[in-house]
Amino acid sequence: MATALQPIRRTTASEEDPAKLQLPLTTGEEDVELQDEKPRRTKRFAALDIFRGLTVALMILVDGARREWPVIGHAPWDGCNLADFVMPFFLFIVGMAIPLSLKRMPNRSLAVRRVLVRTIKLVFWGLILQGGYSHAPNELTYGVDMKHIRWCGILQRIAFAYLVVAVLEIFVKNAKGQEETPVGWSLFKIYCWHWILGACILVIYFTTIYATYVPDWEYTVHNTNSVDDGKVFTVLCSTRGRLDPPCNAVGYIDRRVLGINHMYQHPAWKRSKACTYDSPHEGPFRKDASSWCQAPFEPEGILSSISSILSTIIGVHYGHVLLHMKSHLERLKHWVLIGLGLLILGILLHFVHAIPLNKQLYSFSFVCTTAGAAGIVFSVFYILVDILHLRTFCLPLEWIGMNAMLVFVMAAQGIFEGFLNGWYYESTNNTLVYWIQKHVFVKVWHSRRVGILLYVIFAQILFWVLVSGFLHRLRIYWKM
């Protein structure tokens, strides 16, 4: 784990024009290198850290409380709940960071090397945390059968989108255009190759999802806790162009390329009405449950990851606006208009039944809705920090955002809780975490739903706010 021990002064966009800053390539650390000063100091864009901190906090909230509050968990299929915004927000933030970090990087080979190194690091941590090797926080074991390792995941998708868009930014960066001050919407012309890539992605996605023939398929249940363990189910499809859970092209491609044993074993669709009477809660399967209910499905699969690049491209455009446009009003007008336009377009596509909102498929309406929401949320933070100068109220989120990788690994992925659960009394079910949940929160409020929600807010999010703030005072950050 790398730490930065040099003094760091935080800045807002109004304090220094980002176009004059040099930032190293990072996914989460938009540090500004001042190479003409010794000792070397770095500056960061505070509003982006705050937005990143909010996204990590949301992830902790939905991961910890979604079983008691399914309304904030992932939608079983069509629709968009709070948890569904987390991934596209991460991709949007990564996109915004790319042009900032590449602004003063003259050496293409060095830039590409840094992008590749960070991509490899993200993939490595993704495999460790979500590939099946780590069983935290509840199981006190580790290790994964390579016949069932999960190849895809959150960090792998971020790495893929980051790699594609960052390399594009490196090779199509127009030196002449970057010295110009764009007027109106000329940024789209200056960076036309980003939108050409986006158009190509849409063509590939729509052609594949609507034209691919999906045959019948079968799977074997691998769940020792199920009465159907070892049973083979057959799913009837023999169709094309469908967007339902069992017969869509997204799942078909993942089954063919990744292999069905290497896909996510607990997809959100298991909470759908076709599978359980307890929907949207988790519950036992219905006796007449559809044949696909116990099948795996990869929510971070191949085709959906290609579509997710669009979220990063939109984030890159917001970063370009920040670099090129000098006034608050110019930036906000551009950001808010695009954000509202995307949000309205995505919602309309869903409610007129043209393209449903669907995080599992990463549909075009989902891209528009979540990217539009990300643009508006970021604009709000920009107003608070850079115009109203209310940065102090956002410090807890800023601290988390500055150490986002650490909090993601320790809190959102349950590594720290898993460590605490290793110290149990008499039984592995009698751990410190369980005792705190039961006696400090649930019993006090006489409600498991309320108790678990408060536990996540105070014992997880607030705890990591304090830890991140303490590490910030020590100038310790985990950088990729």
Side-chain angles (χ1 to χ4, degrees):
M1 179 172 69
T3 60
L5 301 179
Q6 65 272 18
I8 293 182
R9 186 177 78 83
R10 308 282 295 169
T11 184
T12 63
S14 60
E15 291 174 348
E16 183 161 344
D17 184 358
K20 299 178 181 178
L21 306 180
Q22 177 176 346
L23 297 90
L25 271 171
T26 61
T27 51
E29 292 82 15
E30 297 70 50
D31 296 324
V32 183
E33 297 182 0
L34 304 180
Q35 295 185 350
D36 57 340
E37 297 183 20
K38 296 182 180 181
R40 185 171 69 99
R41 295 189 302 159
T42 61
K43 297 182 180 181
R44 298 168 59 108
F45 183 39
L48 198 57
D49 272 330
I50 294 167
F51 188 18
R52 185 184 298 109
L54 172 68
T55 305
V56 174
L58 282 179
M59 188 174 193
I60 297 171
L61 176 66
V62 297
D63 281 353
R66 64 185 176 186
R67 288 180 177 81
E68 304 300 328
W69 300 84
V71 69
I72 69 173
H74 292 293
W77 194 245
D78 289 342
C80 195
N81 294 348
L82 184 62
D84 297 312
F85 286 91
V86 173
M87 169 62 78
F89 277 15
F90 275 131
L91 293 171
F92 178 91
I93 292 166
V94 168
M96 273 206 74
I98 288 172
L100 302 180
S101 61
L102 290 173
K103 173 60 183 175
R104 298 293 182 186
M105 181 85 53
N107 190 325
R108 281 185 177 179
S109 60
L110 176 61
V112 170
R113 186 174 66 185
R114 291 190 178 183
V115 168
L116 290 175
V117 168
R118 284 175 171 83
T119 299
I120 293 171
K121 288 181 180 179
L122 286 169
V123 171
F124 169 78
W125 281 105
L127 290 175
I128 293 293
L129 297 171
Q130 294 190 304
Y133 183 85
S134 170
H135 303 165
N138 297 319
E139 297 182 29
L140 302 181
T141 59
Y142 66 91
V144 60
D145 181 353
M146 292 300 293
K147 292 174 62 177
H148 297 277
I149 188 173
R150 182 188 175 198
W151 296 116
C152 300
I154 294 172
L155 293 180
Q156 294 95 311
R157 170 170 286 180
I158 292 174
F160 174 64
Y162 169 69
L163 174 65
V164 172
V165 180
V167 170
L168 175 67
E169 181 81 2
I170 291 169
F171 284 97
V172 305
K173 197 164 52 170
N174 188 319
K176 181 179 178 181
Q178 291 203 16
E179 296 301 325
E180 299 173 357
T181 301
V183 178
W185 301 90
S186 62
L187 269 178
F188 290 101
K189 180 180 179 181
I190 295 174
Y191 295 101
C192 62
W193 283 104
H194 294 75
W195 302 108
I196 291 173
L197 172 63
C200 292
I201 288 171
L202 282 179
V203 170
I204 293 170
Y205 180 81
F206 282 130
T207 301
T208 306
I209 203 167
Y210 288 112
T212 301
Y213 176 78
V214 180
D216 300 342
W217 55 282
E218 62 181 30
Y219 68 95
T220 303
V221 176
H222 298 287
N223 183 0
T224 55
N225 296 321
S226 171
V227 295
D228 294 321
D229 184 38
K231 187 175 180 180
V232 178
F233 285 88
T234 300
V235 182
L236 302 179
C237 290
S238 299
T239 186
R240 71 178 77 245
R242 284 169 57 179
L243 303 180
D244 57 353
C247 299
N248 59 81
V250 171
Y252 170 68
I253 291 172
D254 290 336
R255 290 191 295 272
R256 294 285 295 177
V257 177
L258 301 175
I260 197 166
N261 290 333
H262 298 287
M263 296 165 63
Y264 186 50
Q265 300 296 314
H266 307 286
W269 74 23
K270 293 187 177 184
R271 295 187 286 106
S272 64
K273 292 181 180 179
C275 297
T276 176
Y277 289 114
D278 295 333
S279 179
H281 292 269
E282 294 183 15
F285 289 111
R286 301 165 50 131
K287 291 183 179 179
D288 61 343
S290 298
S291 59
W292 46 266
C293 284
Q294 298 186 69
F297 181 83
E298 185 50 71
E300 279 81 45
I302 296 171
L303 186 58
S304 57
S305 290
I306 293 174
S307 176
S308 73
I309 295 174
L310 294 170
S311 297
T312 309
I313 291 175
I314 295 170
V316 167
H317 182 72
Y318 273 64
H320 289 154
V321 170
L322 181 65
L323 282 176
H324 289 289
M325 297 187 179
K326 307 306 179 183
S327 74
H328 295 320
L329 182 60
E330 278 185 306
R331 292 168 176 170
L332 285 173
K333 183 174 74 171
H334 203 93
W335 287 336
V336 172
L337 285 176
I338 291 178
L340 285 176
L342 288 170
L343 187 61
I344 293 170
L345 175 60
I347 292 174
L348 281 177
L349 288 172
H350 176 75
F351 282 101
V352 301
H353 305 291
I355 303 175
L357 282 168
N358 193 297
K359 188 262 181 187
Q360 319 297 321
L361 303 178
Y362 221 93
S363 63
F364 179 63
S365 59
F366 179 78
V367 171
C368 293
T369 301
T370 54
I376 292 171
V377 171
F378 173 76
S379 299
V380 170
F381 283 129
Y382 183 82
I383 292 171
L384 292 175
V385 174
D386 290 276
I387 297 178
L388 301 180
H389 305 292
L390 299 177
R391 179 175 165 187
T392 302
F393 296 97
C394 301
L395 278 178
L397 295 178
E398 187 176 351
W399 292 337
I400 291 180
M402 294 159 65
N403 247 318
M405 188 63 185
L406 175 68
V407 180
F408 174 85
V409 172
M410 292 296 175
Q413 296 302 306
I415 298 300
F416 184 70
E417 266 196 6
F419 170 77
L420 292 180
N421 284 340
W423 306 86
Y424 56 87
Y425 186 74
E426 292 184 344
S427 169
T428 54
N429 293 324
N430 190 23
T431 65
L432 177 62
V433 172
Y434 172 79
W435 188 92
I436 292 174
Q437 288 179 347
K438 180 179 179 180
H439 295 281
V440 178
F441 292 96
V442 176
K443 275 193 174 182
V444 171
W445 292 93
H446 304 288
S447 168
R448 179 167 179 80
R449 295 189 75 209
V450 175
I452 292 299
L453 179 63
L454 294 177
Y455 166 79
V456 172
I457 293 173
F458 290 99
Q460 290 189 315
I461 297 176
L462 182 58
F463 172 78
W464 285 104
V465 165
L466 298 175
V467 170
S468 300
F470 176 73
L471 292 176
H472 171 56
R473 288 185 61 86
L474 298 178
R475 302 293 191 267
I476 298 176
Y477 309 99
W478 183 349
K479 298 182 179 182
M480 273 293 181

